[in-house]
Amino acid sequence: MHTPSTIKVVPARYPLRTLGAIIALFVLAVVIQSVAFNPRWEWRVFARWFFDPVILEGLAQTLLLTLIGTVLSVVIGGMLALARLSSSWLLNSLAWSYIWLFRSLPLIVVLIILYNFSYLYDTLSIGIPFTQIQWGSYQTINVLGQFSTAVVGLTLVQSAYTAEIIRGGFLGVDHGQYEAAAALGLPAWRRTLRIILPQALRTILPSGFNEIISLAKGTAMVYVLAMPELFYTIQMIYNRTQEVIPLLMVGAVWYLVITSVLSLIQHLVERWLARSERRSAINQQTPARHPSHQPVLHTQEAAHVPLP
């Protein structure tokens, strides 16, 4: 009787992967050494200005612009997306024209035009067009200041991109879901909020957070309005002290912090959505159990006997 021979398991080796890891670590070590030990980066200046109150005030303005721009762009972009999906040719055309216009114009151009809006129009009036009926009239220069101009400009441009992201999320939902929701007899707004939107969020969230991060970095463009947000504040300081590189690194690190926090929030929201979806799937697969105190009725099939 022959005893089975022992099988020796040899793990697979990947020499190219190991070589690539060594090269990557070598390059990383070179970058860290060149940045950390080069005195021209002036890390002492960086440490002195990083938590300076003036820098923190500019950071607060950047965060406030990001928050307000995000909320307004989601609201306006959502309405534009619904208009693009509408069966009304007029709403569809107007929404398409808005998206086409503001996706074509650079943000800096929109901001400069809005900042000089008082040159084009002395007053902003609310009333019925082509009539003398007016309910209010305001000086343009009093309405569009630095902060309001920045908010309006960021919102106008960001809404166009947000609208297309939301529209893409709705289009990604299977058409059968729309038909099933309509068959339940629910109102259109309830079908959208309770059935279609939760499914579309899985597609909307990654691109939506990407646009929020782009908006946070895009707030640096409002420096053309001489508004003291983060980048403009840093610019004013290094123009006075001539410490350009360390102050730019202060701004770069703060932008890294903002984007890292937003990325973490995105990860948590996506994980929460995935967990809630798994929970609902488990609940649907769990068989219904009969209560122990109620008897289970078994129906008997009738026997059909042929009559003579």
Side-chain angles (χ1 to χ4, degrees), residues 29-49:
V30 170
V31 172
I32 292 175
Q33 181 188 12
S34 65
V35 173
F37 297 99
N38 187 346
R40 296 185 180 181
W41 285 95
E42 300 181 79
W43 292 113
R44 292 183 180 178
V45 178
F46 170 89
R48 186 177 78 243
W49 285 105

Side-chain angles (χ1 to χ4, degrees), residues 204-282:
I204 293 173
L205 277 177
S207 301
F209 270 96
N210 190 40
E211 286 300 318
I212 295 175
I213 292 173
S214 298
L215 176 63
K217 295 184 295 183
T219 56
M221 284 293 186
V222 304
Y223 80 94
V224 297
L225 309 179
M227 180 181 169
E229 47 79 45
L230 180 59
F231 181 70
Y232 183 79
T233 302
I234 289 173
Q235 203 175 31
M236 290 298 99
I237 294 174
Y238 73 61
N239 283 338
R240 187 178 71 250
T241 63
Q242 298 302 310
E243 297 168 334
V244 180
I245 297 299
L247 282 163
L248 285 178
M249 289 302 298
V250 169
V253 172
W254 273 123
Y255 282 118
L256 282 173
V257 171
I258 294 173
T259 56
S260 300
V261 172
L262 290 174
S263 299
L264 177 61
I265 295 173
Q266 175 187 351
H267 172 71
L268 294 177
V269 172
E270 289 180 350
R271 191 171 67 175
W272 177 78
L273 284 176
R275 186 168 53 188
S276 62
E277 184 173 321
R278 287 195 301 268
R279 188 184 302 118
S280 62
I282 292 173

Side-chain angles (χ1 to χ4, degrees), residues 97-245:
S97 301
Y98 178 97
I99 294 170
W100 165 77
L101 176 63
F102 285 103
R103 283 205 306 177
S104 303
L105 295 176
L107 175 59
I108 192 170
V109 174
V110 176
L111 291 172
I112 292 175
I113 291 175
L114 288 174
Y115 197 56
N116 294 278
F117 206 68
S118 59
Y119 170 76
L120 300 173
Y121 302 96
D122 296 329
T123 59
L124 295 175
S125 303
I126 302 175
I128 300 177
F130 306 107
T131 65
Q132 299 298 324
I133 301 176
Q134 292 185 358
W135 297 301
S137 181
Y138 309 93
Q139 293 291 327
T140 305
I141 195 171
N142 296 329
V143 175
L144 290 177
Q146 288 178 322
F147 186 80
S148 57
T149 299
V151 169
V152 172
L154 291 170
T155 302
L156 288 176
V157 174
Q158 192 63 35
S159 298
Y161 293 96
T162 305
E164 288 298 278
I165 292 173
I166 296 176
R167 185 176 73 92
F170 279 107
L171 291 176
V173 178
D174 187 77
H175 188 68
Q177 298 293 322
Y178 290 88
E179 296 176 349
L184 294 175
L186 299 176
W189 65 270
R190 195 170 182 182
R191 295 198 303 263
T192 302
L193 293 179
R194 297 295 300 274
I195 297 177
I196 306 303
L197 182 59
Q199 300 180 65
L201 277 177
R202 297 297 301 274
T203 307
I204 293 173
L205 277 177
S207 301
F209 270 96
N210 190 40
E211 286 300 318
I212 295 175
I213 292 173
S214 298
L215 176 63
K217 295 184 295 183
T219 56
M221 284 293 186
V222 304
Y223 80 94
V224 297
L225 309 179
M227 180 181 169
E229 47 79 45
L230 180 59
F231 181 70
Y232 183 79
T233 302
I234 289 173
Q235 203 175 31
M236 290 298 99
I237 294 174
Y238 73 61
N239 283 338
R240 187 178 71 250
T241 63
Q242 298 302 310
E243 297 168 334
V244 180
I245 297 299

